[in-house]
């Protein structure tokens, strides 16, 4: 299409979107979308992609901030800026732009992130539920909605709420690697275990391990497949195998680890190491994740809200990672 109509903005946008999303040629993607913006400067969608395809993160943030000034009434432009602030752990800015997005339109993903913010930034579990119940019905079965409702069930003890969300998801595997990429059966097993239904939990852990073995053939280098295998082995009581694999995983996973108060904790390697009673590895990961005030705040939130962490809340070695100095650092 670009060859046939080199000045057609939609064609330029499509090719730039493909090249950028696949990280095939970011320089060309930037040039293509810049041309589309010049040809149709009133289209917010083009400018959002131009910010997204900016290779320099600092320049990309500045571009996204300018886009909000350029299109103040476009909800998705505010959403784009909100997740950039989230990735930078600028939580006040993240929540401000989240609220600005929702004031303009009920963007489904933004509603989910608002729910996460209510818990992670304000400790408001009831507020989290209120926002999760506002998610439009058309996206009730999407991975991010289902997993967020599962998360609420884990933290609140309302396990039936989580089971109801999971019933709407019919795929055997979650692919949203930003939050959870693993077998659906593992989430069922988790809820059954917390509910005290050990026999039902075991059936689901066994199903999860079968699915993991299938996915290992399809995606042999996928890190989530490896992590899901460790969780399934732990659930089946095969602790020595789980510890060995967890230590091997710690050597290949992305480092340093970054902790966020709004997600990424429930199936984290740090939480897993604690539950596997691998204290040296757990302390090493917690120390790494607590670097800076944002990391320490994230740990405080997760240890306070995660019922699995109750035995560790008064542990003096772990409490060190929550402490701040007089300057708040």
């Amino acid at each position: 299409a670009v060859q046939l109509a080199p000045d057609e903005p939609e064609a330029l946008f499509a090719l730039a979107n493909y090249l950028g999303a696949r990280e095939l040629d970011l320089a060309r993607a930037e040039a293509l979308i810049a041309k589309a913006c010049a040809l149709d400067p009133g289209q917010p969608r083009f400018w959002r992609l131009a910010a997204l395809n900016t290779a320099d993160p600092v320049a990309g943030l500045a571009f996204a901030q300018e886009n909000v000034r350029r299109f103040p009434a476009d909800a998705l432009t505010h959403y784009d800026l909100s997740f950039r602030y989230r990735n930078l752990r600028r939580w006040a800015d993240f929540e401000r732009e989240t609220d600005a997005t929702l004031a303009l339109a009920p963007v489904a993903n933004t509603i989910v992130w608002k729910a996460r913010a209510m818990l992670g930034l304000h400790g408001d579990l009831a507020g989290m539920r209120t926002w999760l119940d506002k998610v439009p019905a058309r996206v009730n079965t999407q991975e991010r909605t289902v997993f967020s409702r599962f998360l609420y069930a884990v933290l609140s003890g309302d396990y039936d709420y989580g089971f109801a969300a999971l019933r709407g998801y019919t795929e055997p595997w979650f692919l949203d690697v930003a939050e959870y990429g693993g077998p659906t059966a593992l989430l069922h097993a988790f809820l059954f275990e917390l509910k005290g239904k050990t026999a039902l939990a075991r059936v689901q852990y066994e199903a999860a391990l079968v699915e993991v073995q299938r996915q290992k053939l399809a995606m042999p280098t996928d890190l989530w497949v490896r992590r899901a295998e460790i969780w399934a082995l732990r659930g089946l009581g095969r602790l020595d195998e789980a510890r060995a694999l967890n230590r091997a995983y710690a050597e290949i996973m992305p480092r340093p680890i970054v902790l966020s108060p709004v997600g990424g904790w429930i199936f984290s390697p740090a939480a897993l190491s604690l539950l596997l009673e691998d204290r040296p590895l757990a302390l090493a990961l917690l120390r790494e994740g607590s670097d800076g005030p944002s990391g320490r705040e994230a740990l405080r939130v997760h240890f306070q809200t995660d019922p699995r962490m109750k035995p560790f809340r008064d542990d003096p070695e772990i409490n060190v990672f929550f402490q701040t100095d007089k300057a708040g650092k």
Side-chain angles (χ1 to χ4, degrees):
V2 170
Q3 289 178 343
L4 292 170
D7 291 327
E8 169 51 54
E10 288 291 346
L12 297 168
F13 169 83
L15 184 54
N17 195 18
Y18 170 75
L19 294 173
R22 297 293 184 273
E23 297 184 351
L24 297 175
D25 190 341
L26 287 179
R28 188 183 180 203
E30 282 195 55
L32 288 166
I33 198 60
K35 185 176 180 181
C37 290
L39 290 168
D40 188 358
Q43 175 52 266
R45 187 160 43 95
F46 298 167
W47 292 92
R48 291 197 302 270
L49 184 62
L52 188 65
N53 281 349
T54 301
D56 179 1
V58 175
L61 174 62
F63 206 141
Q65 291 169 327
E66 181 58 33
N67 281 349
V68 165
R69 290 188 284 270
R70 187 179 285 115
F71 303 108
D74 183 68
L76 291 180
T77 300
H78 285 275
Y79 172 66
D80 173 73
L81 182 56
S82 75
F83 74 70
R84 291 173 186 276
Y85 284 136
R86 185 189 73 225
N87 292 343
L88 292 169
R89 298 191 285 178
R90 290 173 54 172
W91 301 117
D93 293 326
F94 157 67
E95 192 164 21
R96 184 193 67 243
E97 289 303 321
T98 295
D99 290 341
T101 302
L102 294 173
L104 292 167
V107 178
N109 272 349
T110 308
I111 294 174
V112 171
W113 282 113
K114 178 64 178 179
R116 298 292 193 86
M118 293 305 295
L119 177 68
L121 303 181
H122 303 290
D124 187 353
L125 193 58
M128 181 185 187
R129 172 66 181 267
T130 296
W131 280 99
L132 287 176
D133 287 345
K134 292 181 179 182
V135 174
R138 60 185 170 79
V139 294
N140 275 346
T141 60
Q142 286 187 359
E143 290 185 353
R144 193 160 296 173
T145 302
V146 174
F147 186 80
S148 295
R149 287 174 171 163
F150 159 83
L151 180 63
Y152 171 81
V154 169
L155 302 179
S156 68
D158 187 354
Y159 305 124
D160 290 341
Y161 185 78
F163 284 125
L166 288 169
R167 279 196 295 272
Y169 187 76
T170 58
E171 297 296 324
W173 196 270
F174 277 65
L175 294 173
D176 186 2
V177 294
E179 181 65 26
Y180 174 74
T184 306
L186 185 60
L187 303 185
H188 284 278
F190 215 70
L191 292 178
F192 278 128
E193 181 182 346
L194 290 172
K195 197 173 182 178
K197 303 291 186 179
T198 54
L200 291 172
R202 185 172 185 85
V203 170
Q204 292 294 334
Y205 278 124
E206 289 172 347
L209 191 57
V210 169
E211 186 61 25
V212 163
Q213 299 304 329
R214 189 178 74 83
Q215 291 292 341
K216 283 173 76 173
L217 296 176
M219 302 184 293
T221 62
D222 188 278
L223 293 181
W224 256 113
V225 174
R226 295 172 181 243
R227 195 189 302 188
E229 181 178 22
I230 302 167
W231 279 101
L233 290 172
R234 173 209 162 260
L236 292 171
R238 295 163 60 176
L239 300 183
D240 289 339
E241 294 174 76
R243 289 189 194 99
L245 286 178
N246 191 45
R247 284 196 158 266
Y249 179 82
E251 295 178 1
I252 62 173
M253 70 182 189
R255 308 289 285 269
I257 64 170
V258 177
L259 295 175
S260 163
V262 298
W265 168 258
I266 290 294
F267 289 102
S268 70
L272 177 55
S273 299
L274 280 174
L275 296 175
L276 286 173
E277 299 180 355
D278 189 340
R279 190 174 182 86
L281 179 56
L283 292 176
L285 293 175
L286 291 172
R287 183 178 299 107
E288 186 175 310
S290 66
D291 183 31
S294 181
R296 283 190 282 277
E297 179 58 26
L299 277 181
R300 278 194 292 272
V301 168
H302 295 311
F303 272 78
Q304 180 182 4
T305 58
D306 184 349
R308 304 169 305 166
M309 296 297 108
K310 185 176 181 180
F312 308 105
R313 288 172 187 164
D314 296 324
D315 188 308
E317 280 191 285
I318 291 175
N319 280 339
V320 169
F321 303 127
F322 305 160
Q323 295 172 2
T324 58
D325 59 27
K326 293 181 180 179
K329 298 181 179 180

